[in-house]
Amino acid sequence: MSASTTHPQRFENRIALVTGGSRGIGRACCLRLAEEGARVAINYRQGKEDAEETLQQIRTVGGTGMLVQADVSSSEQVDRMVTEIEAEWGQVELLVNNSGIFSYEPHTELTEEAWRQMLEVNLTGTFLVTWRVREGMLQRNFGRIVNMSSLSGLMPRPMSIAYAVSKAGVVSFTQSTAVAWAGDNIRVNAIAPGLIDTEILSGVNQDDLDKIIQATPIPRMGKASEVASMVSFLLSEESSFTTGQTVVISGGRCMLP
């Protein structure tokens, strides 16, 4: 991301938490927010080396960051993570709920265990982190939240049933919390990315990827940096009259309404 495409210091001294920030879309979001002045807490579950690389990239562009390890599906670990951030910097003001898992298999291979894990990480994890930072945002009368949904949450996904349901839940969660907190100067929005070129696609057959690209009006995969640009916009005061929305970034493959 070149400096000319960012808005220097529009998040100056803001405290941001990006879950799943070690790579892919999460890393791009961390870098974008750091470039624009935020102090960025990079959450990761297992990939410490990837998280350290993200932190190094933040420092390279002159930003400030810290690593916070936690499984977002665990309320105890989420509480510990946010407590670490508060002790170091203060209360979280900008939250990007990006952490998630993905599966791609026929319904005949979907187990109850896999179903529960998908919802616990993608949906309950979004709830737990949001609920942990909510009180601080209410006390400060300020908060900006972006939840990462997916195009799969808006369209039928027979090869990713559990994933699609979890991401549809994120859309509903976004809408309801946006209305609940609108009077408290807390804005909540979501992003529904389409096919984005990140590691999460490693288990998807290349022929299937090619078919999706061919069906996309802008015939390519999206970039993580393009998603990060929308995250930055929704967290910023440029979107001050926008809340409860799910913004699709799909190259035109899905258009709302």
Side-chain angles (χ1 to χ4, degrees), residues 98-156:
N98 171 73
S99 184
I101 56 176
F102 174 72
S103 66
Y104 188 79
E105 74 280 304
H107 64 89
T108 53
E109 297 180 14
L110 176 60
T111 64
E112 179 182 349
E113 180 182 4
W115 168 273
R116 290 184 181 277
Q117 183 185 27
M118 189 69 66
L119 266 66
E120 285 173 3
V121 175
N122 293 357
L123 185 54
T124 301
T126 297
F127 163 77
L128 290 175
V129 179
T130 301
W131 241 241
R132 178 58 180 80
V133 304
R134 172 190 55 144
E135 286 304 318
M137 290 182 173
L138 289 170
Q139 290 170 11
R140 295 173 65 92
N141 195 44
F142 180 90
R144 304 290 182 260
I145 301 172
V146 173
N147 299 320
M148 202 62 63
S149 181
S150 169
L151 202 60
S152 297
L154 306 174
M155 300 172 68

